[in-house]
């Protein structure tokens, strides 16, 4: 059966070159990277530090600003929880469209430590209301504040106007954290040109292995952070535990390979998205795209989200899968929850959601036009 995988925002296929590097490391580098008194341990340690240097070079950071984690979710947790415990943050400013690893953590922190939490109002299609953001920053200027806003939304692809966010954070002396998990590895980013204090990334979003991610922390801030996981001195003492050297080298290799060809990847995926939009409009003339996902200026090309006219049927995605098409309704982290996505509910009226279902299509470098053709054919059958 011919299949079309269009759920790259959930996870991407691993590149064959990355698999080879991981297998070679599994075979020949079994030493504990903390056992540096012999060559086996030193070899493992060198793999980690060379990977750290490679990653830092690609995102224009210093190696000491990179901390490896088990996932993007863990990275977000370390930043948010450490900000409260180590940076004396008393006020967190975020949006209703953030990933659950941010929203649930923020709510947990507000209960545990009585932190003030404010949510920035949304403009049409889920854009951030920067006037409201400034009002909240000004109102709470007596408190140390952390602003947490994702660079590219994982469900609707909306891009944050980071320049405006940087300006306001600097104006009100707030720390700025950005979940860049859908961005880093797919598009170029420069830590020295951008004013992020913290960012997070996950290897399996850019053709690397699952179970490995990293966080970037400005070097002047990392000195203030105490251990998040205790029991050793790995990862500059922030995250104890024997490092996942196979995941780390896989992450590094995947990031290196995508960085070689950012421009061509961008152009290819942009063309796929344009083709998909035009084909969808042919079969659904009154189609409603969610957020700015159909915009080439305000969203990332990898994500397209729209409402499909059908009765509220959570088997829609299962029917598509039976026809060989893999898509999703939103974040994979919430896929076991039958409730409608909090992102879609935040930007869509209840009346629409009673008669339409959201579909998230996410493109990758291994997709071709034939994948979209299969999707269109399957949607036509369901409509009939």
């Amino acid at each position: 059966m011919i299949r079309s995988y269009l759920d790259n925002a959930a996870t991407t296929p691993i590149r064959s070159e990355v698999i080879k590097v991981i297998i070679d490391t599994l075979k020949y580098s079994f030493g504990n990277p903390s056992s540096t008194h012999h060559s086996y341990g030193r070899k493992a340690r060198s793999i980690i530090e060379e990977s750290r240097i490679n990653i830092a070079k690609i995102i224009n950071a210093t190696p000491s600003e990179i901390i490896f984690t088990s996932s993007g979710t863990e990275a977000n947790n370390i930043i948010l929880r450490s900000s409260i415990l180590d940076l004396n943050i008393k006020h967190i400013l975020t949006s209703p469209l953030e990933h659950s690893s941010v929203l649930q953590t923020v709510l947990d922190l507000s209960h545990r430590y009585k932190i003030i939490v404010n949510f920035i109002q949304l403009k049409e299609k889920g854009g951030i209301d920067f006037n409201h953001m400034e009002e909240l920053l000004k109102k709470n200027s007596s408190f140390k504040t952390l602003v947490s806003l994702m660079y590219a939304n994982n469900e609707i692809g909306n891009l944050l106007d980071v320049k405006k966010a940087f300006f306001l954070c600097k104006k009100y002396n707030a720390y700025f954290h950005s979940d860049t998990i859908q961005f880093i590895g797919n598009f170029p980013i420069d830590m020295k040109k951008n004013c992020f204090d913290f960012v997070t990334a996950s290897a399996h979003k850019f053709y690397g292995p699952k179970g490995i991610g990293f966080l970037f922390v400005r070097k002047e801030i990392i000195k203030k952070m105490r251990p998040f996981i205790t029991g050793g001195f790995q990862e500059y003492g922030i995250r104890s535990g024997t490092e996942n050297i196979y995941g780390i080298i896989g992450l590094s290799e995947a990031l290196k390979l995508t960085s070689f060809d950012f421009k061509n990847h961008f152009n290819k995926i942009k063309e796929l998205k344009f083709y998909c939009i035009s084909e969808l409009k042919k079969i659904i003339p009154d189609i409603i795209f969610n957020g700015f996902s159909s915009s080439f200026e305000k969203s990332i090309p990898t994500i397209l989200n729209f409402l499909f006219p059908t009765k509220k049927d959570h088997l829609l995605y299962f029917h598509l899968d039976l026809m060989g098409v893999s898509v999703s309704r939103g974040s994979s982290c919430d896929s076991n929850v039958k409730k409608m996505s909090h992102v879609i509910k935040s930007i869509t009226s209840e009346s629409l959601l009673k008669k339409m279902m959201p579909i998230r299509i996410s493109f990758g470098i291994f997709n071709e036009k034939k994948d979209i053709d299969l999707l269109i054919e399957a949607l036509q059958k369901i409509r009939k």
Side-chain angles (χ1 to χ4, degrees), residues 20-83:
K20 183 179 184 306
V21 166
I22 292 172
I23 290 173
D24 287 346
T25 307
L26 282 163
K27 283 182 179 179
Y28 308 116
S29 302
F30 62 85
N32 187 318
S34 294
S35 298
T36 54
H37 48 278
H38 55 65
S39 59
Y40 294 100
R42 289 194 297 272
K43 183 179 180 182
R45 171 52 54 192
S46 70
I47 288 171
I48 292 173
E49 297 313 321
E50 285 170 12
S51 297
R52 201 187 311 273
I53 291 167
N54 177 57
I55 293 162
K57 185 178 179 180
I58 292 169
I59 68 172
N60 198 17
T62 59
S64 61
E65 294 174 316
I66 306 299
I67 297 172
F68 293 113
T69 66
S70 67
S71 62
T73 290
E74 185 194 348
N76 283 333
N77 266 263
I78 289 176
I79 290 165
L80 292 167
R81 296 183 187 278
S82 294
S83 293

Side-chain angles (χ1 to χ4, degrees), residues 27 39 47 59 94 126 143 149 162 168 188 217 238 261 263 271 274 315 342 344 360 362:
K27 283 182 179 179
S39 59
I47 288 171
I59 68 172
T94 188
F143 301 107
L149 296 171
V162 289
L168 291 176
V217 185
I238 303 298
D261 215 9
K263 187 175 181 181
E271 286 180 16
F274 180 83
L315 291 176
H342 67 276
I344 299 302
R360 182 186 70 177
S362 42

Side-chain angles (χ1 to χ4, degrees), residues 257-382:
L257 290 169
T258 57
S259 69
F260 283 155
D261 215 9
F262 274 138
K263 187 175 181 181
N264 286 334
H265 292 167
F266 178 88
N267 290 333
K268 177 185 178 178
I269 293 171
K270 189 175 179 180
E271 286 180 16
L272 287 173
K273 186 173 184 177
F274 180 83
Y275 178 68
C276 190
I277 289 170
S278 63
E279 293 301 299
L280 284 169
K281 285 180 177 178
K282 289 177 185 177
I283 63 166
I284 316 170
D286 55 347
I287 189 170
I288 298 172
F289 292 103
N290 288 316
F292 295 116
S293 66
S294 62
S295 165
F296 291 95
E297 290 76 36
K298 296 181 179 180
S299 74
I300 50 173
T302 46
I303 292 176
L304 182 65
N305 195 309
F306 65 96
L307 295 178
F308 183 68
T310 184
K311 292 179 180 179
K312 195 169 184 180
D313 179 10
H314 291 285
L315 291 176
L316 168 66
Y317 316 102
F318 181 68
H319 294 321
L320 285 169
D321 187 51
L322 288 176
M323 290 185 241
V325 179
S326 299
V327 296
S328 69
R329 65 175 180 176
S331 174
S332 55
C333 293
D334 298 327
S335 63
N336 291 326
V337 180
K338 291 188 177 180
K339 292 180 181 178
M340 183 64 68
S341 153
H342 67 276
V343 173
I344 299 302
K345 285 176 73 174
S346 295
I347 61 172
T348 311
S349 68
E350 286 188 25
S351 58
L352 274 177
L353 293 178
K354 286 179 180 178
K355 55 186 178 181
M356 306 182 90
M357 291 292 288
I359 294 178
R360 182 186 70 177
I361 304 165
S362 42
F363 312 98
I365 60 173
F366 298 118
N367 286 130
E368 303 292 344
K369 284 187 176 179
K370 62 183 180 181
D371 295 311
I372 296 165
D373 292 336
L374 191 61
L375 166 72
I376 298 299
E377 182 183 339
L379 290 174
Q380 283 179 309
K381 288 179 180 177
I382 290 173

Side-chain angles (χ1 to χ4, degrees), residues 67 225-240:
I67 297 172
M225 294 172 65
R226 292 176 294 176
F228 181 75
I229 298 176
T230 53
F233 298 96
Q234 294 91 346
E235 295 307 298
Y236 305 106
I238 303 298
R239 185 184 186 274
S240 297

